[in-house]
């Protein structure tokens, strides 16, 4: 059996999150989607186990089912909204440059000096020491605004660690807006 050192494990983890040779590459992946959905999936398992232990009593099934629907519908909305916003995009961040590429061949490069500001929309529960209560709190995004008023959206489906992505944009003014429900419609 082969043993890996801490640095080799760290390199593997960084490559999994899209950092390659000084470049940060962001795209929607199954891994990122599972990471964002993990809180809801674990909650679903706990709910099913609780219902099993309660012998699927109809009263508990109705209560748990109602809560499940109330928690799942907003989550599905955000997941679909984020997926549509970033599908077929690859965003590369390196040195002082930001590149957006789409599947149909469109590529646009921005220098960091062309960026006006970055707004990170994120629940307070995702901060260190925060306690996540609902699955929608896993969803967050960054809105990058250029000096020409163009807006670029990077969602947690591209990178669950958006705060690190925002910090890579050196010299760009950063803002933070705390929201429970981080829809792309509300600025």
């Amino acid at each position: 059996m082969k043993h890996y050192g801490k640095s080799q494990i760290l390199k593997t983890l960084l490559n999994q999150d899209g950092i390659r040779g000084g470049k940060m590459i962001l795209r929607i992946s199954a891994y990122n989607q599972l990471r964002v959905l993990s809180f809801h999936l674990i909650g679903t398992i706990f709910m099913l186990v609780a219902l099993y232990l309660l012998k699927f009593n109809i009263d508990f099934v109705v209560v748990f089912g109602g809560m499940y629907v109330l928690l799942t519908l907003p989550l599905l909305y955000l997941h679909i909204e984020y997926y549509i916003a970033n599908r077929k995009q690859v965003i590369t961040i390196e040195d002082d440059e930001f590149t957006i590429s789409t599947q149909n061949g469109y590529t646009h490069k921005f220098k960091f000096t062309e960026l006006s500001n970055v707004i990170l929309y994120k629940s307070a529960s995702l901060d260190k020491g925060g306690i996540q209560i609902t699955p929608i709190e896993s969803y967050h995004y960054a809105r990058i605004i250029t000096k020409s008023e163009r807006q670029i959206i990077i969602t947690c489906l591209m990178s669950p660690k958006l705060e690190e992505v925002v910090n890579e944009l050196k010299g760009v003014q950063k803002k933070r807006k705390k929201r429970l429900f981080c829809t792309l419609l509300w600025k």
Side-chain angles (χ1 to χ4, degrees):
M1 182 176 218
K2 190 174 181 181
H3 293 286
Y4 294 98
K6 286 182 185 178
S7 63
Q8 199 166 11
I9 292 171
L10 184 60
K11 284 180 188 175
T12 303
L13 288 173
L14 290 176
N15 283 339
Q16 198 168 20
D17 278 342
I19 300 171
R20 291 182 181 88
K23 281 194 222 182
M24 185 178 282
I25 302 170
L26 310 172
R27 67 172 51 101
I28 292 179
S29 68
Y31 173 76
N32 288 343
Q33 291 185 66
L34 282 174
R35 253 176 105 171
V36 173
L37 286 169
S38 65
F39 187 83
H40 187 62
L41 296 174
I42 291 168
T44 301
I45 292 168
F46 281 132
M47 183 196 69
L48 291 172
V49 168
L51 284 173
Y52 174 77
L53 294 173
L54 296 167
K55 299 182 183 184
F56 291 95
N57 179 305
I58 191 67
D59 294 332
F60 289 110
V61 170
V62 169
V63 170
F64 277 56
M67 290 298 294
Y68 190 76
V69 168
L70 283 174
L71 293 173
T72 302
L73 289 178
L75 174 130
L76 286 175
Y77 172 79
L78 287 177
H79 198 91
I80 292 167
E81 181 182 49
Y82 285 16
Y83 184 83
I84 290 170
N86 288 138
R87 71 173 187 255
K88 301 178 184 179
Q89 284 185 346
V90 177
I91 295 176
T92 308
I93 300 171
E94 63 180 319
D95 300 327
D96 65 342
E97 195 170 79
F98 179 85
T99 308
I100 302 172
S101 304
T102 61
Q103 235 177 12
N104 61 4
Y106 172 79
T107 301
H108 198 282
K109 292 186 180 204
F110 297 95
K111 295 282 186 190
F112 290 172
T113 55
E114 295 176 60
L115 304 178
S116 174
N117 61 30
V118 180
I119 306 168
L120 180 63
Y121 297 85
K122 186 175 168 184
S123 170
S125 68
L126 294 179
D127 293 338
K128 286 186 180 183
I131 299 172
Q132 186 174 347
I133 297 170
T134 66
I136 62 170
E137 294 174 80
S138 298
Y139 287 82
H140 55 288
Y141 72 96
R143 184 182 304 271
I144 300 169
I145 302 168
T146 66
K147 290 182 178 171
S148 63
E149 297 298 317
R150 181 173 176 185
Q151 295 188 21
I152 300 129
I153 302 292
I154 302 175
T155 66
C156 59
L157 298 183
M158 296 185 95
S159 173
K161 299 177 181 178
L162 279 180
E163 198 139 6
E164 291 177 13
V165 172
V166 168
N167 289 336
E168 284 295 313
L169 303 173
K170 307 282 189 243
V172 180
Q173 180 184 358
K174 297 161 185 75
K175 297 178 186 174
R176 163 84 187 269
K177 291 192 178 182
K178 294 182 183 183
R179 302 264 166 83
L180 175 66
F181 187 71
C182 295
T183 179
L184 302 177
L185 301 174
W186 299 336
K187 295 181 183 181

